[in-house]
């Protein structure tokens, strides 16, 4: 009888750590994008046959 279950060994800490780091980076980028989208507002104004699209950005003072 040799090593039984050698192919079913649990993975080490390396892959778990890498997955945790990638997940944390993904979360940080998602939050940053959400904050950026909150700063930019698109406004559509229709005056007769003319349609205008305005991009407004909130500043720190407003």
């Amino acid at each position: 009888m040799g090593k039984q279950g050698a192919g079913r060994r649990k993975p080490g800490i390396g892959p778990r750590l890498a997955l945790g780091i990638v997940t944390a980076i993904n979360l940080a980028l998602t939050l940053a994008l959400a904050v950026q989208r909150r700063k930019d507002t698109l406004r559509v104004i229709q005056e007769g046959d003319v349609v205008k699209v305005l991009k407004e950005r909130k500043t720190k003072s407003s």
Side-chain angles (χ1 to χ4, degrees):
M1 290 195 192
K3 298 179 185 177
Q4 289 183 340
R8 294 184 180 209
R9 246 185 336 183
K10 291 184 180 178
I13 190 116
R16 290 182 186 176
L17 183 61
L19 179 61
I21 291 171
V22 169
T23 302
I25 291 172
N26 188 15
L27 177 61
L29 291 175
T30 301
L31 291 175
L33 182 60
V35 168
Q36 183 65 31
R37 285 185 178 172
R38 297 258 305 154
K39 290 181 181 178
D40 295 339
T41 303
L42 292 179
R43 191 173 302 251
V44 177
I45 300 173
Q46 183 174 3
E47 298 173 352
D49 292 338
V50 179
V51 176
K52 297 179 182 178
V53 178
L54 304 174
K55 180 179 178 185
E56 298 178 349
R57 172 170 260 175
K58 294 181 182 179
T59 59
K60 291 182 181 179
S61 61
S62 51

